[in-house]
Amino acid sequence: MTTIQMINSNAGEAMHLFEVMKKYGATCSLEFNKGNGNDPFIGITGVNVDVEYLEGDPPVEGDGDTLIVKLGETDFAFGLRDHSFSKFISSSQITVAVMANDTDYTAWFNSSIITPEGIEEASNYDATVGDNENSNPAFTLEEQELICFLRSLDFDTVLDTVSGIHREADQSKNKAAMHLRVGRTQTANAFDKRAVNLEQLALLIGQANKDYNAHVLQVD
């Protein structure tokens, strides 16, 4: 069984990915999983997909917005306040995961085969297109300095850093398993999410460093 590393995303990019599926004629399948289980309690296979974004009107701007994914004749609504999003884009398929923050389910959306042009468009999401003044700004000076610093580190320093982050991720996985065994599903999900974030941080730090890329990431 192949394990994929999901990447943190957001509702805007998730909407973009569903629109790419629709544009390039890909169907979409869905699995709803509870907790850490692998057996879906809801499954839909190979239907047409569409997506819609509804703006709410809560006291806090954006807090009541909802992403609606339409699979065939069935609509699934995900409130942005209550859900987290992640993605994985391979050379031929798109996977979008939507995790409930306060409950124990994850919705996995998997596309059928998509053309290379579609994959390229999916990978080139620009979060600044159509954004307003409340959106994330361009890189700050501090962020640019961090990028340059990561590029300048030697192999051993990056290796120690990445190894340390992986150890913390493993500890979070162990804590998630411990809490799950005693029925604390919400806490277990939080530690699972922390582990995923740490592993993604370790991967990005490694990818940002030329020496680490040459010694580790590009080794067959």
Side-chain angles (χ1 to χ4, degrees), residues 143-153:
E143 289 168 336
Q144 295 176 36
E145 290 176 347
L146 173 61
I147 293 170
C148 292
F149 180 68
L150 289 174
R151 290 176 177 174
S152 70
L153 294 175

Side-chain angles (χ1 to χ4, degrees):
M1 182 178 178
T2 302
T3 301
I4 62 174
Q5 177 66 56
M6 298 298 291
I7 299 173
N8 286 340
S9 184
N10 54 59
E13 185 173 24
M15 184 171 184
H16 165 72
L17 296 177
F18 287 120
E19 288 175 337
V20 169
M21 294 182 200
K22 178 182 178 182
K23 177 178 178 179
Y24 288 88
T27 57
C28 185
S29 298
L30 166 67
E31 288 187 0
F32 263 96
N33 293 94
K34 285 188 175 181
N36 292 329
N38 294 321
D39 295 327
F41 67 95
I42 295 177
I44 298 176
T45 304
V47 296
N48 292 330
V49 61
D50 201 353
V51 64
E52 184 178 354
Y53 189 94
L54 295 181
E55 293 185 358
D57 189 24
V60 179
E61 183 177 354
D63 200 30
D65 293 359
T66 302
L67 185 71
I68 300 177
V69 182
K70 303 180 178 183
L71 295 184
E73 301 298 322
T74 307
D75 293 358
F76 298 91
F78 303 103
L80 271 61
R81 177 179 54 191
D82 304 318
H83 294 85
S84 302
F85 300 84
S86 59
K87 65 171 184 180
F88 180 79
I89 303 173
S90 73
S91 60
S92 59
Q93 287 182 288
I94 297 170
T95 298
V96 177
V98 184
M99 178 183 291
N101 295 334
D102 298 325
T103 54
D104 61 347
Y105 75 79
T106 301
W108 296 89
F109 297 90
N110 297 286
S111 75
S112 60
I113 300 300
I114 298 180
T115 64
E117 293 78 10
I119 293 297
E120 181 178 3
E121 184 170 336
S123 302
N124 290 334
Y125 171 70
D126 185 353
T128 65
V129 174
D131 280 357
N132 56 32
E133 61 184 5
N134 296 315
S135 301
N136 292 331
F139 289 127
T140 64
L141 176 60
E142 292 78 12
E143 289 168 336
Q144 295 176 36
E145 290 176 347
L146 173 61
I147 293 170
C148 292
F149 180 68
L150 289 174
R151 290 176 177 174
S152 70
L153 294 175
D154 59 61
F155 170 74
D156 289 333
T157 301
V158 178
L159 180 62
D160 289 343
T161 302
V162 170
S163 298
I165 294 174
H166 278 306
R167 284 194 296 272
E168 289 295 323
D170 288 339
Q171 290 183 17
S172 289
K173 291 178 183 178
N174 291 335
K175 290 178 181 178
M178 178 187 69
H179 286 289
L180 188 63
R181 283 196 296 270
V182 296
R184 300 187 189 122
T185 304
Q186 183 175 344
T187 303
N189 286 341
F191 276 111
D192 270 333
K193 184 175 180 180
R194 180 174 183 267
V196 170
N197 288 340
L198 287 169
E199 289 176 342
Q200 180 63 17
L201 175 62
L203 176 64
L204 293 175
I205 288 175
Q207 288 177 334
N209 182 266
K210 182 178 179 181
D211 286 341
Y212 190 87
N213 266 284
H215 285 84
V216 177
L217 297 181
Q218 296 182 8
V219 175
D220 292 334

